[in-house]
Each structure stands twice: as structure tokens, then as C-alpha cells.
Amino acid sequence: MHVRKLTSGFAAVLAVTLSLMGGQAVAAPAPAADTAAARVVTYDASGSAEFRTAVDRGAAIWNESVDAVELRPAASGQRANIRVLADNGWPRALTTSLGNGTVYIGRQAVDQGYNTVRISSHELGHILGLPDRKPGPCSSLMSGSSAGTACTNPYPNAAEKAEVEGNFGGELARTGGAVPVGVMIVD
């Protein structure tokens, strides 16, 4: 989204500058398909207990990483696309459709030493349509627990970003198989 804002702002400044300099100001071109508004997906982390900050950070990481979708906290009284809950099991996600489902931040993995922000970002990745890619290196967010407890990387790699962009109608092509709907993904 940062690119869209900068491009729109630059076009407006250029038009004003040209008109002040005596040049002919022209309307900015219509936005290209890749600068279309991001699809907003809301989340409710009120049930995430001690992991609330990690959930908000995981959502912020996705917002920094992709343009086609934006994760926002649900407004009071608004039904969220994603519910985030804390429990004593293993982290997992249940997708109901692309951008919708339930994420469980399981204390079992946290107690074993896995990073809470990586868990949050990984599980949100499932809701955004990404499957597990195990075993995998730490550089792959969707490698999940197979990267080990020393891995604290909460950022999607270039292929993961491109896949989410494609899933949500971005210009980048889809690169892999989407997460099946209605299936619990246990990490």
C-alpha cells in the first residue's frame, strides 16, 4: 500500500507544480490494476490473551509485506473475518474461505520455545491462503516449526508474498497451491 500512496501523492504534486510553473496541468492517469484498493480483512484478537501484541505484530508484518490485502482489527461490534484465540494446544488455523477463519495461538509451542510473533504471522499466512512448506528453512515463514525454536523470522519470503498478492487479486501470479477450505492446519 505504501507504493500506491507514494504514486498517487507524486502525481498530485507534479500536477500542482506544473500548473504553478505555467505548464499545462493534466489529470493524473487512472490507477492501474495493481494499485487497486487492498481487500480489507478484519481480525478479532480479543481471545488471544497474552499473545495480543504478537498477533497485532503478525498482522502488521503482513501489512508491510503485501499490497493486495490489509489486516485490520475489527471495530467494536463488527464481525471479524478472522478470530484469534489462545489455547493450550499446538498452533493451528481453520480456514473457512480465503481471508476467513480461526487462528489458535497454542501455548504448547510457546512453552517449547517457539517465537510468538513468528507463530502469529505463520498462522495468519494460512488464512491468507498459504500452505505449510515443511520441512523448510528459517527464511520461509511457512516452514513453521520445522525451522526449529532458534528461528524467529516472522517475515514472508518473496515467493510467499507473491502468492498472497495473487490470492487477493494482485498483479503477481499465484505460485503454489492454496490452503484447502474447511481443513484444520496444525503446525
Side-chain angles (χ1 to χ4, degrees):
M1 282 181 284
H2 49 282
V3 172
R4 281 192 301 275
K5 290 177 184 174
L6 289 173
T7 303
S8 298
F10 178 76
V13 168
L14 184 60
V16 170
T17 302
L18 286 174
S19 66
L20 292 174
M21 294 175 56
Q24 183 177 3
V26 294
D34 63 334
T35 61
R39 176 173 162 196
V40 174
V41 173
T42 58
Y43 67 94
D44 176 3
S46 63
S48 64
E50 69 271 25
F51 307 118
R52 177 63 185 257
T53 301
V55 171
D56 290 338
R57 183 65 192 128
I61 286 168
W62 277 109
N63 290 341
E64 295 164 13
S65 300
V66 296
D67 292 328
V69 64
E70 179 181 353
L71 297 170
R72 288 187 197 162
S76 179
Q78 177 185 22
R79 183 178 173 149
N81 299 97
I82 306 168
R83 283 185 17 194
V84 184
L85 305 171
D87 73 1
N88 293 325
W90 194 256
R92 59 203 182 278
L94 173 61
T95 57
T96 54
S97 63
L98 182 63
N100 296 283
T102 304
V103 164
Y104 298 87
I105 307 294
R107 292 182 182 98
Q108 184 178 356
V110 175
D111 291 345
Q112 290 180 22
Y114 289 94
N115 180 275
T116 58
V117 177
R118 179 173 167 85
I119 292 169
S120 174
S121 190
H122 173 92
E123 297 305 333
L124 289 170
H126 287 313
I127 302 297
L128 299 178
L130 300 178
D132 278 323
R133 300 224 164 78
K134 296 179 181 182
C138 184
S139 60
S140 168
L141 174 63
M142 300 315 291
S143 68
S145 61
S146 71
T149 56
C151 178
T152 60
N153 171 37
Y155 293 92
N157 64 27
E160 293 161 340
K161 292 176 192 179
E163 189 169 346
V164 169
E165 294 284 9
N167 289 346
F168 285 88
E171 193 166 284
L172 298 174
R174 192 177 190 143
T175 59
V179 170
V181 173
V183 174
M184 179 72 69
I185 301 166
V186 180
D187 298 303

